[in-house]
Amino acid sequence: MKTNATYFVNDEKKPLRYGEINIINPKRKRLRGEEAKEGVEAIPVFCGFCGTDLELMRMGQRGELNPKFPEGENRLINGHEGVVWVPSENRFAIVLIRGGDSFDPTRFTEDETYFEYGCDGADGLFSDKNYFNPDMLLHLPEKYEGMKKLPVSLAKRLVFSDPYACAIFQHERMCDIGSAQNFRVVMAREKCDENKARKIAENETFFRTVIYGLGTTGLFIGDQIRRNHPDAKILFVARSDENSPKVRFAKEVVKADYLSAGNLSEDEIAEKIKEYFGGTATVFVGTSGNAVEHRIAFEKGVLGCNGIYDSFSLGPVVSFDTMPFGFKNHVILSSINFTQKHMEEAIEILSESRFGEVVELIDKDEFISDPIDAYLNKIYSKAAPLKTAVIWNKEYME
């Protein structure tokens, strides 16, 4: 099937292009043990830009994209956040991005495989048409079923389904690990049985939470912690000015505090964090994409004994001194994934949330006329909003 799309190639000067290409429709599995199915046609309607898209463009500049291309192709249509229209079912849908021949695509093993629409081995949403496994076209909440036009306000909220699902998974994993890490200490302290101790330990994991970085992932992880642990003390740390719109929004929605670290040394940052908590952090979530995260947590002593370091950044190398690391009983978690269950929960939460307020639109014609310039000078520039999206097909928008 011929269609127009933006797509990545290996090219130092033009790694991102727009034009007509041919879409393939191989059979794909949602999970191991299920039937591999050809995709059904869907029309992308509203698409969001993610930091992964920028990283894929940089990989293309370096000639590193071959493992990411669909089999037999030399390009990848990007885009993994948004809403599509499914003509055969006469409805809107959110694409479940990750699938493959694995029992649990969040933790596939060496003999299992996975793919991700728009990211790895399968074409994504920045196209006029595409094919998606029919079992991976998730429904909108029941109250929105039957719509023939998608309100922009709802689309802006639902564009976050992928990253918010990641945040739900991150919270789930921190609960699992926090409970296992500290329940025996709680049993000894509280003189209680294991079940009660695990519940207490899980909640205490988040008593003093540092979220380093204030992009959408940091914001959503903070929101998940607040929703599930109302007594948690949450501190965002980032470079933005405290009076910036995204900081004000995060503080209001998550009911968290904020430390502006742009003009502080690493020692000053660490001291101010410990001063805020009156001690050290019980969990440290790194989302800034900067190596300063692990230095603040480990070298500067911000992460306390028995604490969890949740590495959610792509790129930085995490290192630690084994002597204090071992004696302080730290745990490092790193897993950036989600399942269908997480995405369905995200869709429900987002549909009634305020997160659409942080999304700004770029005109499609402006974007496709020079995608690289749009990436560098608007979508991912220093002055960029927290989230940028594009109306890809106005026919289906209200």
Side-chain angles (χ1 to χ4, degrees):
M1 175 175 69
K2 297 288 186 180
T3 191
N4 290 314
T6 62
Y7 56 96
F8 291 118
V9 297
N10 284 320
D11 189 301
E12 183 178 357
K13 295 183 178 179
K14 290 191 65 179
L16 176 60
R17 303 174 181 181
Y18 175 79
E20 185 180 74
I21 58 173
N22 185 60
I23 299 283
I24 59 175
N25 188 18
K27 291 184 177 181
R28 291 192 170 98
K29 288 184 179 182
R30 178 176 57 175
L31 292 170
R32 176 163 284 198
E34 294 186 353
E35 176 189 355
K37 297 182 179 180
E38 287 188 349
V40 298
E41 184 179 310
I43 299 170
V45 174
F46 191 88
C47 305
F49 298 90
C50 172
T52 301
D53 298 314
L54 180 61
E55 179 57 28
L56 288 169
M57 186 179 80
R58 289 170 173 161
M59 289 176 68
Q61 289 176 314
R62 300 191 297 265
E64 299 172 351
L65 281 180
N66 285 345
K68 300 290 186 182
F69 294 146
E71 186 175 355
E73 300 296 321
N74 61 1
R75 86 292 172 282
L76 171 71
I77 298 173
N78 64 305
H80 55 280
E81 300 178 355
V83 186
V84 302
W85 174 258
V86 187
S88 62
E89 300 180 22
N90 205 31
R91 68 177 178 94
F92 292 103
I94 303 291
V95 180
L96 175 63
I97 297 304
R98 177 178 274 244
D101 188 23
S102 58
F103 292 113
D104 182 342
T106 66
R107 277 161 276 181
F108 63 94
T109 59
E110 287 78 5
D111 67 334
E112 296 178 331
T113 61
Y114 77 94
F115 67 88
E116 290 184 325
Y117 287 116
C119 298
D120 200 332
D123 288 323
L125 272 64
F126 280 106
S127 56
D128 292 349
K129 295 179 181 179
N130 205 344
Y131 297 108
F132 302 100
N133 182 309
D135 298 329
M136 298 175 69
L137 292 167
L138 306 184
H139 285 260
L140 273 57
E142 186 175 355
K143 66 183 288 186
Y144 298 111
E145 289 287 349
M147 292 189 309
K148 299 299 183 289
K149 297 280 188 178
L150 183 69
V152 172
S153 58
L154 177 61
K156 284 183 174 182
R157 300 195 293 272
L158 294 176
V159 79
F160 289 119
S161 298
D162 180 293
Y164 200 96
C166 287
I168 294 173
F169 176 68
Q170 290 299 303
H171 172 255
E172 178 182 276
R173 292 288 284 145
M174 285 189 281
C175 286
D176 292 346
I177 291 173
S179 172
Q181 166 83 332
N182 291 317
F183 80 89
R184 296 188 185 280
V185 175
V186 175
M187 284 177 66
R189 186 188 75 206
E190 301 294 331
K191 305 294 189 293
C192 62
D193 63 28
E194 180 176 331
N195 286 337
K196 183 176 180 181
R198 282 183 177 273
K199 291 180 181 178
I200 294 172
E202 175 184 306
N203 194 52
E204 288 184 352
T205 297
F206 305 97
F207 268 8
R208 297 185 297 277
T209 298
V210 172
I211 300 176
Y212 208 99
L214 190 49
T216 53
T217 51
L219 175 63
F220 296 154
I221 291 172
D223 187 65
Q224 267 295 289
I225 293 172
R226 175 60 69 220
R227 286 172 183 268
N228 291 280
H229 308 278
D231 296 328
K233 202 169 186 181
I234 303 172
L235 179 67
F236 287 108
V237 183
R239 293 175 297 178
S240 300
D241 183 88
E242 187 159 4
N243 294 315
S244 67
K246 74 173 184 178
V247 171
R248 293 199 304 268
F249 180 85
K251 290 170 66 176
E252 181 180 346
V253 171
V254 179
K255 297 179 176 59
D257 289 309
Y258 179 76
L259 172 63
S260 178
N263 297 315
L264 300 177
S265 69
E266 292 180 12
D267 286 324
E268 290 172 328
I269 294 169
E271 286 307 309
K272 286 186 177 294
I273 292 173
K274 288 186 277 191
E275 180 182 338
Y276 169 78
F277 286 128
T280 52
T282 54
V283 64
F284 190 108
V285 183
T287 69
S288 73
N290 193 302
V292 69
E293 298 170 352
H294 79 267
R295 295 196 296 268
I296 297 295
F298 298 121
E299 295 177 20
K300 305 303 179 182
V302 165
L303 185 61
C305 290
N306 310 310
I308 294 173
Y309 183 88
D310 183 1
S311 178
F312 199 81
S313 292
L314 291 175
V317 174
V318 176
S319 63
F320 53 87
D321 184 337
T322 55
M323 181 69 78
F325 180 81
F327 279 96
K328 289 185 177 182
N329 199 36
H330 287 152
V331 170
I332 296 178
L333 158 68
S334 184
S335 186
I336 303 176
N337 296 305
F338 58 85
T339 67
Q340 180 172 333
K341 173 179 72 77
H342 299 117
M343 183 167 262
E344 288 172 340
E345 183 179 346
I347 292 168
E348 291 287 344
I349 291 172
L350 290 167
S351 66
E352 304 301 324
S353 75
R354 291 181 52 193
F355 290 118
E357 296 176 25
V358 301
V359 180
E360 294 187 16
L361 300 179
I362 184 172
D363 180 75
K364 181 183 177 183
D365 290 336
E366 176 188 357
F367 171 56
I368 65 177
S369 66
D370 192 341
I372 294 177
D373 180 73
Y375 266 41
L376 297 178
N377 297 313
K378 188 163 186 177
I379 299 167
Y380 300 108
S381 70
K382 289 184 178 180
L386 196 58
K387 188 69 171 181
T388 302
V390 58
I391 296 174
W392 198 260
N393 192 314
K394 295 180 180 179
E395 179 183 346
Y396 296 92
M397 296 296 299
E398 182 176 280

